[in-house]
Amino acid sequence: MTSLAHQVAVLDANDPLREFRDQFQLRDGLIYLDGNSLGALPKATMAAMQDAVGEQWGEGLITSWLGADWVNSPRRIGDKIAALIGANPGEVIAADSTSVNIFKALGAALSLQSGRSVILTEEGNFPTDHYMMQGLERLSGGGVRSLAVPAGDVLGRLEDDVAVLLLTQVHYKTGAMRDMAAVNAAAHKHGVLVIWDLSHSTGAIEVDLNGSGADFAIGCGYKFLNGGPGAPAYMYVAQRHQHADAVLAGWFGHARPFAFEEQYDAASGVERFLCGTPPVLGMVALEAGVDLITQADMRDVRAKSVKLAELLIAQMQPLCTQYGFELVSPQNRKESGSHVSFAHPNAYAIAQALKTRDVIGDFRAPDVLRLGLTPLYLRYADIVEAVHRLSEICVTRSWDRPEFHAMSAVT
Ligand SMILES: *Cc1c(COP(=O)(O)O)cnc(C)c1O
């Protein structure tokens, strides 16, 4: 064995999370570096879906709202997610999509901030975050102004007209991570509320919403939580803000949904931020994913993610020198989440060529090859092998075939 192979074998043998990989359906030979975009399938999800469809729906029919406790799934799963992100039971619901929850959180935060009209974010934030802000601005007829400033200028723009700051903690493209406690403190000093987009945080890094004084947060169910394609998202509302207005005031957020009253009367707890009927089948898959990751210690997850990233960056060094890859993620792992991105002028074609070698990462426009590190099912040996396959693609220039340059609708 080479000394690298030996080192990596030791790391894998001593990995406290090594047993988790077998809980996922993953084909032999496949190296999946895109679990930050769509998490892998937990084996338990298959059985849970079979039961939900065949038994709960097929046999139980409508009685399963109570019999299988479908009705409480948003709160039940929310409480489990709360444990991963430093929130208390009763502060998180699983519901809707991340995009919709961004809108709900913006509306709720604005309702607490009379006299302030600016909703602020950083340039380069995930597009849906910008779009939701811009839509709210249009809806408000000029009452609310959506503003994006360069990332480095955000804290300096926290003035008295700012109602809400919306930031993604771990940047979707670069992986750069914001210091949540520092941002919350700076914002609160100016009376600004903060909404955190945790799409690339939850299940990947340690998050302490309450410890850092967070106000609102939202995030994805299908990334590091392994909830399945299009899984329901989640929304956190700190206890002290739960009297805020639920702008998408649906009947599931009513204090008494089954009284069928025509006058809206908001539920008192976090349930008021529910809109309509929960997507039960999606909730079942989400819960299976959440149940699996809550068995892991997030400190182990983070520690392994850091080590995987360090190994990846070290292995990529020769390719950076010889083939023009450029690390765009922070060098310092303390400032970085759980994916590592490299810029390359041919990143798109390279990502496509990699797929044919059974290494799945992804491309983010205009020139980023993004490699997601999911500690529950990646091995250190996978990182070494992935870079080995990538270097073969570079040596042979096999990426430079016409079929790898054709842009597809989903990247
Ligand atoms: C993935 C992601 C989203 C996705 O939102 P959806 O409504 O689920 O499509 C939102 N924000 C960030 C930062 C993301 O990374």
Side-chain angles (χ1 to χ4, degrees):
M1 241 193 238
T2 66
S3 80
L4 174 64
H6 177 71
Q7 270 172 31
V8 161
V10 171
L11 282 170
D12 279 321
N14 294 322
D15 173 10
L17 301 172
R18 64 188 177 279
E19 314 259 295
F20 278 94
R21 181 180 167 86
D22 192 44
Q23 305 292 316
F24 290 89
Q25 177 175 315
L26 287 167
R27 189 158 46 71
D28 273 350
L30 171 71
I31 302 178
Y32 191 58
L33 302 177
D34 218 356
N36 57 324
S37 200
L38 174 63
L41 170 65
K43 289 176 182 167
T45 304
M46 292 282 257
M49 291 303 287
Q50 196 97 40
D51 182 57
V53 174
E55 291 300 315
Q56 297 176 13
W57 177 15
E59 298 295 323
L61 291 163
I62 203 165
T63 67
S64 288
W65 279 105
L66 297 174
D69 206 28
W70 291 347
V71 68
N72 291 312
S73 58
R75 171 66 194 272
R76 183 179 68 244
I77 301 170
D79 283 351
K80 294 178 181 184
I81 294 172
L84 292 170
I85 54 180
N88 290 324
E91 291 186 311
V92 179
I93 43 162
D96 304 308
S97 66
T98 306
S99 301
V100 169
N101 286 331
I102 290 171
F103 191 87
K104 287 155 61 180
L106 285 167
L110 277 165
S111 78
L112 300 173
Q113 295 284 60
S114 62
R116 293 172 178 247
S117 59
V118 172
I119 50 181
L120 178 68
T121 192
E122 65 178 24
E123 289 172 4
N125 197 353
F126 191 84
T128 211
D129 298 58
H130 290 291
Y131 303 161
M132 285 292 153
M133 291 172 61
Q134 292 160 11
L136 216 156
E137 175 183 73
R138 292 194 298 276
L139 178 69
S140 76
V144 172
R145 192 158 73 89
S146 162
L147 177 67
V149 300
D153 297 349
V154 167
L155 298 185
R157 183 57 186 81
L158 294 169
E159 292 164 24
D160 288 352
D161 59 343
V162 179
V164 190
L165 170 62
L166 169 62
L167 283 180
T168 301
Q169 190 192 12
V170 174
H171 194 274
Y172 78 99
K173 207 184 289 185
T174 65
M177 182 167 69
R178 290 267 190 185
D179 180 339
M180 185 180 280
V183 171
N184 288 339
H188 293 165
K189 213 165 82 187
H190 295 275
V192 176
L193 295 173
V194 186
I195 301 170
W196 288 102
D197 187 331
L198 300 179
S199 294
H200 288 277
S201 304
T202 306
I205 63 171
E206 293 167 85
V207 177
D208 189 4
L209 287 171
N210 285 338
S212 70
D215 301 299
F216 295 87
I218 45 85
C220 271
Y222 51 79
K223 292 173 177 164
F224 291 91
L225 295 181
N226 306 306
Y234 51 89
M235 177 176 183
Y236 156 87
V237 182
Q239 177 86 53
R240 66 184 179 283
H241 295 319
Q242 290 186 358
H243 61 287
D245 201 4
V247 287
L248 297 184
W251 73 301
F252 260 71
H254 194 279
R256 296 164 300 280
F258 287 88
F260 294 99
E261 296 163 15
E262 285 183 25
Q263 196 56 43
Y264 180 70
D265 179 16
S268 56
V270 72
E271 282 88 350
R272 79 166 51 185
F273 301 101
L274 295 172
C275 294
T277 308
V280 172
L281 298 180
M283 294 295 240
V284 168
L286 174 63
E287 189 161 23
V290 169
D291 281 342
L292 183 53
I293 197 156
T294 47
Q295 290 168 32
D297 185 327
M298 282 309 299
R299 284 167 300 192
D300 290 339
V301 172
R302 172 64 176 161
K304 183 174 174 188
S305 159
V306 166
K307 282 202 266 182
L308 288 168
E310 284 169 352
L311 179 64
L312 175 60
I313 292 169
Q315 292 298 299
M316 282 293 292
Q317 195 55 53
L319 279 76
C320 290
T321 322
Q322 289 171 46
Y323 297 106
F325 289 92
E326 188 197 332
L327 179 67
V328 293
S329 300
Q331 275 284 357
N332 183 349
R333 300 317 302 161
K334 287 202 172 70
E335 296 164 14
S336 203
S338 204
H339 57 272
V340 180
S341 298
F342 296 90
H344 190 286
N346 297 109
Y348 181 77
I350 290 170
Q352 306 321 305
L354 263 179
K355 281 181 203 161
T356 66
R357 297 292 316 274
D358 238 3
V359 178
I360 302 182
D362 65 24
F363 165 79
R364 284 294 173 264
D367 62 353
V368 168
L369 176 67
R370 189 175 69 157
L371 304 173
L373 303 173
T374 45
L376 291 197
Y377 48 85
L378 272 182
R379 296 164 297 205
Y380 294 95
D382 294 325
I383 301 297
V384 173
E385 176 60 21
V387 177
H388 173 67
R389 293 182 201 173
L390 175 58
S391 79
E392 285 180 347
I393 285 168
C394 294
V395 172
T396 60
R397 286 181 69 89
S398 69
W399 53 265
D400 201 11
R401 289 195 216 132
E403 71 261 33
F404 295 143
H405 289 280
M407 195 64 79
S408 48
V410 175
T411 62

